[in-house]
Amino acid sequence: MKINKEGYKIIGITGLICLLLGTGIYRLLSSHDNGTLVWVLVVLMLLFWFFIVAFFREPRRVKIHDADLVFSPCDGRVVVTEPVHESEYLDREMMQISIFMSITNVHMNWLPVGGVVEYFKYHPGRFLVAWHPKSSTENERTTTVVRLGDGRHVLFRQIAGLIARRIVSYMKVGERVKQNDVCGFIKFGSRIDVLLPKDSEVLVEIGDPVVGSQTPIARLKPQTK
C-alpha cells in the first residue's frame, strides 16, 4: 500500500506516541498481574495507528481523459445537486454538485477537468459539519477555477469539516493541468463542491457513491457556434 506524502509526519508522530504509551502501560501494569489488560490496550493502540496509516493510503487509479465529462474529484457520496449563484469569482448561475467524504474514505483529491488554473484562493473560516449548507461559504476552504480549452469554467472548492482541519492544494494560477491528476488532499473528513456551467447534464443523484477520478458526475453540453 502506497502512502501519500501528506501523511508521513502525522504517521511518524502518531507511531512514536503509541510506542511511548505502550511502553509506559507495559511497565505500569505488567508488574500488577494485568497481562491481559496490557495486551488489550497495546492491540487497541496498534489498531489506531494502522487506521491512521490507512487514512493516508494512495490508491492506484486509471487516468481517464474525456473533455466532455466532469469526474468526481474525490471518493465519497453525493449530498447536493442544485443550481446556485456563484459570487466569489465568476458571478453567474451554475450547477453545483457536492460530495461528502467520510473519515473512512480515501482523502486524495483529483482534478475534475483539465485546462488552465485561472483563479485560486485560500479562505480561513469556521469548521461546521461538512454537510451543513453554510459550510460552502463559511468554513475554511480553497477555491480553484479551471478554464477549459473552449473558454468555459469549472470551479471547485475543498472544504474543511468538523474534524478536518488541514487542506492541502497543489494548484497554482497559470498552471496547465490535466484531468484526473492529483490536485490536493484533505485530512480527516470533509467535502468538495464542484460548480459547472448551468446547462451541464448531471449524471449522479443525491446519495450516490462516487470514486475519485473514476466516476463521471456530469457531462458538459457541446458549445454552439
Side-chain angles (χ1 to χ4, degrees):
M1 177 176 63
K2 186 177 180 181
I3 302 300
N4 187 274
K5 63 182 181 179
E6 304 300 339
Y8 293 166
K9 185 177 180 179
I10 292 177
I11 291 170
I13 292 173
T14 305
L16 180 60
I17 292 173
C18 288
L19 179 62
L20 293 174
L21 285 175
T23 301
I25 291 171
Y26 176 79
R27 290 178 177 177
L28 180 66
L29 298 180
S30 60
S31 60
H32 297 282
D33 196 27
N34 289 307
T36 302
L37 179 59
V38 170
W39 283 110
V40 168
L41 292 174
V42 168
V43 168
L44 288 175
M45 281 190 292
L46 281 174
L47 290 174
F48 173 73
W49 185 72
F50 280 124
F51 171 77
I52 296 297
V53 173
F55 179 85
F56 290 98
R57 64 197 184 276
E58 185 172 314
R60 292 183 178 180
R61 300 272 167 91
V62 176
K63 288 190 177 182
I64 307 171
H65 301 295
D66 189 326
D68 294 328
L69 295 175
V70 179
F71 286 86
S72 174
C74 61
D75 290 9
R77 193 170 294 276
V78 178
V79 293
V80 171
T81 58
E82 64 182 10
V84 298
H85 182 81
E86 196 291 305
S87 57
E88 178 181 345
Y89 179 73
L90 298 171
D91 192 24
R92 68 186 64 160
E93 295 297 314
M94 302 188 78
M95 176 59 66
Q96 176 175 317
I97 301 174
S98 300
I99 300 162
F100 174 72
M101 292 177 281
S102 77
I103 200 169
T104 59
N105 286 128
V106 171
H107 277 64
M108 291 177 62
N109 302 152
W110 291 266
L111 283 150
V113 294
V116 176
V117 178
E118 186 173 293
Y119 175 82
F120 174 83
K121 187 172 182 179
Y122 165 77
H123 302 268
R126 303 170 65 184
F127 297 98
L128 301 171
V129 290
W131 57 81
H132 194 292
K134 290 186 177 181
S135 67
S136 292
T137 54
E138 295 188 11
N139 276 22
E140 178 179 338
R141 64 198 182 278
T142 67
T143 303
T144 303
V145 176
V146 175
R147 185 178 71 251
L148 309 182
D150 59 11
R152 289 180 294 178
H153 297 85
V154 170
L155 179 151
F156 61 94
R157 301 190 190 99
Q158 296 171 292
I159 302 170
L162 181 64
I163 299 175
R165 301 293 176 110
R166 182 76 172 95
I167 299 174
V168 179
S169 176
Y170 308 139
M171 297 294 94
K172 296 179 181 179
V173 174
E175 180 181 20
R176 182 169 294 279
V177 293
K178 294 181 180 179
Q179 187 177 46
N180 289 328
D181 276 359
V182 175
C183 66
F185 199 98
I186 307 180
K187 299 179 181 179
F188 300 109
S190 49
R191 134 181 182 169
I192 292 187
D193 293 344
V194 183
L195 278 70
L196 313 166
K198 191 177 179 181
D199 60 359
S200 301
E201 178 189 358
V202 177
L203 303 177
V204 291
E205 297 180 353
I206 292 177
D208 285 352
V210 292
V211 178
S213 79
Q214 304 294 292
T215 305
I217 59 174
R219 178 178 287 106
L220 299 172
K221 186 176 180 180
Q223 287 280 72
T224 56
K225 296 182 179 181

